[in-house]
Amino acid sequence: MLVFRQFVDDDLGCASYLVGDRDAGVAVVVDPALAIEKYIEAAAEEQVRIERVLETHTHADHVSGHGRFAVEHDLPVAIHALAEAEYPCHALADGEVVRAGSTEILVLHTPGHRPEHCAFVVDGKLVLTGDSLFVGDAARPDLAVAAREGAQDLFGSLERLAALGDDVEVYPGHVAGSLCGGNMSSERSSTIGRERETNDALSYRDVQEFVLVSASVSTPRPPTTERVVALNRGPWVTLPPEPEELPDPGEATVLDVRPFTDYVAGHVSGAISVPVSGSSFATKAGFVLEAGERVVLHARTRDEAMAATRGLWKTGILELAGYVVDTSAEEALATVDVAELRHLLDAAADVQVVDVREAFERDSGYIPGSRNIPYRLLRKIGCGALDVSKPVVTVCDTGPRAAIAASLLAREGFDARAVSPGGVATFDGDVVSFRRCGG
């Protein structure tokens, strides 16, 4: 009686698993998130006891829950020896079989995304592919080693997975929303046969051709890669203390996690807007917060502040100075809609239009005369490229990233406003598209 549960964090696009034997009453957790409560609850529902944690690799985009399982529940952790883990662990080896009761989990060493990466074949019927094979895509090879080196290893790993058999079910470590791949599907499972037919990553027969394409990564790196890898490789990470409510933010950087409409109506001077209710909250916040800075959250309620806190913890932002709810928020931010943007452009207004999407997104269409500075770079390098004496209008596809960008520019003294809601996707004026050389 196989126990099998999939858990997906939609904010980060990460998947984790509970695998076990109901008759024997035991199970393992694969790639657990920091919030381990859901696995414990699921194990209780299935009437199994979690006895081990398996890691496909050292994750770069989220903090693992293996430390909490080790410290709070005294569970052993297993990962391939090439991970060079600094915590006590069992070193997995290629071809090893891990058992949970009568359930057999075969370890396949599948390097590429990282040198230590492993996939787990469960009872010969399904495979947990981690960050190697996704539904519709394959993992990026550039986060741990040189992209070409990683891609060459990944080619061999994908060949090995494709040889498992068409009927073997595929359960990946990521779905759409993750930065660990570029074109992965939002579907949560597939089969080897289906991926052989539809996944371009499995269509290559020449390793050099695969390397050329796979190593040309356009998706930005997860914003907290180095920090998260260090946390996941190092001593156990346990749950940090919850931040306390403060009367005012003081001199801290304020991360405003309220809806953008609230931010527009009134916010703390210099606050950065990243709504916790929006998509990919933790990733976006990771891009705009600097390592080591003192951060105070501005939320509508304690519950909203705690939701944001848990999101930040996932990406390794563990130390928060506190949060504010009832505080002075008198600074407003103007916005424009797409009709007003077109009017400004038609009137040849002396305004700087900044497209804050990624460069590859502009290929399918951008507004003539706009400058491209991805929102994630504005705080680091982008503001100096703009004229502070002229108004700035930020635009993305539909509004959320433009809103973040406008808040970043406003805190630097720009007369900034966001196209929100709306953007290039709903703009009814002229747009330009092009193909890149080699595209």
Side-chain angles (χ1 to χ4, degrees):
M1 292 289 291
L2 176 66
V3 171
F4 184 76
R5 293 270 195 108
Q6 182 188 56
F7 307 83
V8 175
D9 181 333
D10 292 319
D11 186 52
L12 292 176
C14 298
S16 50
Y17 298 90
L18 179 71
V19 181
D21 179 347
R22 185 175 290 109
D23 289 341
V26 294
V28 301
V29 176
V30 178
D31 291 343
L34 184 62
I36 65 173
E37 289 76 15
K38 54 181 170 280
Y39 312 112
I40 296 169
E41 293 171 3
E45 292 171 1
E46 297 285 357
Q47 298 183 333
V48 294
R49 172 178 51 84
I50 300 172
E51 61 179 10
R52 184 186 297 264
V53 176
L54 302 181
E55 293 278 26
T56 56
H57 65 294
T58 304
H59 305 282
D61 59 342
H62 69 279
V63 178
S64 173
H66 66 229
R68 290 191 62 196
F69 271 119
V71 173
E72 298 173 24
H73 299 275
D74 197 27
L75 295 187
V77 178
I79 191 169
H80 194 276
L82 289 176
E84 299 180 344
E86 298 171 12
Y87 51 83
C89 63
H90 168 72
L92 294 171
D94 184 53
E96 179 180 351
V97 175
V98 178
R99 290 181 171 79
S102 62
T103 299
E104 294 188 347
I105 303 170
L106 172 66
V107 178
L108 295 184
H109 185 214
T110 48
H113 181 69
R114 292 190 65 86
E116 74 272 14
H117 191 281
C118 291
F120 301 128
V121 182
V122 180
D123 284 345
K125 299 176 181 178
L126 59 91
V127 57
L128 309 182
T129 54
D131 286 27
S132 54
L133 177 64
F134 301 135
V135 179
D137 197 7
R140 61 188 301 167
D142 65 320
L143 295 185
V145 297
R148 294 183 65 85
E149 178 186 347
Q152 189 157 0
D153 286 342
L154 184 61
F155 179 80
S157 295
L158 293 177
E159 281 194 323
R160 193 175 190 193
L161 291 169
L164 288 175
D166 287 352
D167 293 335
V168 173
E169 297 175 50
V170 172
Y171 288 89
H174 290 293
V175 298
S178 168
L179 295 179
C180 289
N183 300 302
M184 65 185 76
S185 170
S186 59
E187 294 185 43
R188 300 183 176 190
S189 66
S190 183
T191 64
I192 293 293
R194 181 183 170 196
E195 294 308 298
R196 287 168 61 91
E197 293 177 357
T198 62
N199 191 327
D200 288 342
L202 296 184
S203 67
Y204 296 93
R205 296 295 173 263
D206 178 73
V207 62
Q208 294 308 319
E209 184 181 1
F210 175 84
V211 168
L212 180 65
V213 175
S214 181
S216 303
V217 181
S218 58
T219 308
R221 289 167 63 90
T224 53
T225 295
E226 287 76 16
R227 175 169 55 204
V228 170
V229 167
L231 288 170
N232 285 333
R233 178 183 286 153
W236 305 127
V237 174
T238 56
L239 208 60
E242 294 182 347
E244 297 181 354
E245 184 174 358
L246 304 174
D248 63 75
E251 299 299 317
T253 297
V254 177
L255 183 68
D256 194 324
V257 300
R258 302 173 300 158
F260 185 59
T261 51
D262 290 45
Y263 178 90
V264 166
H267 58 270
V268 176
S269 179
I272 301 171
S273 174
V274 185
V276 68
S277 57
S279 63
S280 302
F281 162 74
T283 299
K284 290 172 180 173
F287 274 130
V288 299
L289 294 176
E290 296 178 352
E293 70 180 326
R294 186 172 183 269
V295 177
V296 169
L297 306 178
H298 184 189
R300 294 173 297 177
T301 64
R302 172 179 168 78
D303 286 347
E304 188 172 64
M306 291 304 105
T309 295
R310 289 188 290 272
L312 296 173
W313 285 346
K314 290 187 296 187
T315 53
I317 302 172
L318 303 176
E319 297 181 4
L320 297 172
Y323 70 94
V324 294
V325 173
D326 184 15
T327 190
S328 177
E330 299 178 352
E331 189 163 312
L333 181 77
T335 60
V336 299
D337 58 27
V338 289
E340 291 171 310
L341 174 61
R342 181 170 182 178
H343 175 73
L344 288 171
L345 295 172
D346 290 344
D350 192 16
V351 62
Q352 304 168 95
V353 179
V354 181
D355 187 334
V356 301
R357 299 174 299 165
E358 298 299 319
F360 69 88
E361 294 179 83
R362 280 169 59 90
D363 294 359
S364 60
Y366 66 90
I367 298 170
S370 63
R371 301 188 60 177
N372 181 219
I373 308 175
Y375 83 96
R376 62 187 176 85
L377 300 179
L378 275 172
R379 195 174 177 199
K380 299 178 178 67
I381 63 172
C383 294
L386 300 171
D387 186 345
V388 74
S389 69
K390 297 180 180 180
V392 180
V393 174
T394 58
V395 64
C396 63
D397 267 332
T398 57
R401 287 176 289 177
I404 297 172
S407 74
L408 291 169
L409 290 168
R411 78 191 303 268
E412 297 297 329
F414 285 83
D415 176 9
R417 59 206 68 190
V419 179
S420 179
V424 178
T426 56
F427 185 68
D428 61 357
D430 294 332
V431 295
V432 177
S433 60
F434 65 96
R435 287 186 64 190
R436 296 180 180 274
C437 293

